[in-house]
Amino acid sequence: MDLSSAMRTTGAVREFLNKPVPDELLHEVLDDARFAPSGGNRQGWRVAVVTDPAIRRSLSGLCAPVWSEYIAQTAAGETPFSVVQPTSIDLEAAAASFAPNPLIDELESAPAVLVVAVDLSALAVSDKDLSRHSIVGGGSVYPFCQNLMLSARARGLGGVLTTFLTRAEPQAAPLLGLPSGFAIAAMIVLGFPVHQPTRLKRREVAEFTTFDRFDGPNFNVQS
Ligand SMILES: Cc1cc2nc3c(=O)[nH]c(=O)nc-3n(C[C@H](O)[C@H](O)[C@H](O)COP(=O)(O)O)c2cc1C
């Protein structure tokens, strides 16, 4: 699979065949992913390949209320967990109500579960002193995650990067032996897809690209 095809067809996969992912294949994927860039090439990522059913069950239990919060905010027309707009939802009540999510509910039997963490001391966060929410730090770990997804795709696997668990980091930390000073960036579930989405809904280039300034003319160029 060429790179462009892989980038255009790596859609989120949340349903997997009942077929294990060999550790050797996971190693190949991680061995590709490690060539990701990071600020100062600090490579602060760490990965836990979670196989223990008890830990998986606990992770599932931590993710479920976050999904309920997400669903409630979406139903109210909000961007869930927005740093710009405060929620109108009673998140505590939302978290207490069960909303089914097969990916979370069947996490124990998922083919492969990877938790990606990052060493905060390895991050050069150049926007950390601005008065708005900081964005740069994630740029030193999410390229690694996307490399992982692309490599998985190229090797016949599919999966989804999730961030449910980040919201429950304090509870997840002791379960996972997360070192102090590390943050959870993602929980990635991988497996052989039941169905690989290949027609992804994405905005056109001219919808998000302009000349010179962000209020400039659209970059309406045909390639
Ligand atoms: C930073 C980030 C966080 C995400 N968090 C979740 C998540 O918590 N749960 C989930 O099911 N999918 C999650 N996703 C997957 C997105 O929902 C998915 O990429 C998006 O809807 C596009 O889907 P498609 O590739 O199938 O078109 C996340 C993706 C990204 C990049």
Side-chain angles (χ1 to χ4, degrees), residues 10-12 14 101 103 142 160-164 197 200-202:
T10 302
R14 299 186 178 86
N101 179 316
L103 184 79
Y142 291 112
V160 61
L161 179 155
T162 72
T163 44
F164 307 116
L200 308 186
K201 274 206 282 185
R202 301 292 189 264

Side-chain angles (χ1 to χ4, degrees), residues 1 19 32-33 38 65 77 83 104 124-125 128 136-137 146 166 190 202 211:
M1 169 171 283
K19 180 175 165 187
D32 284 342
S38 56
V83 290
I104 296 174
V125 186
K128 74 184 175 72
V136 170
Q146 183 61 8
T166 62
L190 292 176
R202 301 292 189 264
F211 280 106

Side-chain angles (χ1 to χ4, degrees), residues 120-167:
L120 295 174
S121 71
L123 299 182
V125 186
S126 50
D127 65 348
K128 74 184 175 72
D129 297 322
L130 300 185
S131 58
R132 60 151 174 80
H133 181 77
S134 175
I135 194 74
V136 170
S140 283
V141 63
Y142 291 112
F144 170 84
C145 294
Q146 183 61 8
N147 262 9
L148 195 157
M149 302 306 293
L150 289 171
S151 175
R153 169 83 180 107
R155 295 169 190 284
L157 295 169
V160 61
L161 179 155
T162 72
T163 44
F164 307 116
L165 194 60
T166 62
R167 198 157 161 79

Side-chain angles (χ1 to χ4, degrees), residues 13-80:
V13 172
R14 299 186 178 86
E15 258 189 290
F16 306 101
L17 299 177
N18 189 9
K19 180 175 165 187
V21 177
D23 283 348
E24 293 71 21
L25 188 54
L26 269 188
H27 184 274
E28 286 175 21
V29 167
L30 291 161
D31 198 28
D32 284 342
R34 72 190 171 91
F35 289 93
S38 56
N41 199 19
R42 296 286 189 89
Q43 303 169 53
W45 48 77
R46 289 272 288 274
V47 180
V49 179
V50 182
T51 57
D52 184 328
I55 300 178
R56 283 185 176 203
R57 259 197 312 279
S58 302
L59 297 183
S60 167
L62 292 175
C63 290
V66 182
W67 172 242
S68 300
E69 292 176 315
Y70 181 98
I71 284 289
Q73 289 173 95
T74 307
E78 299 178 357
T79 295

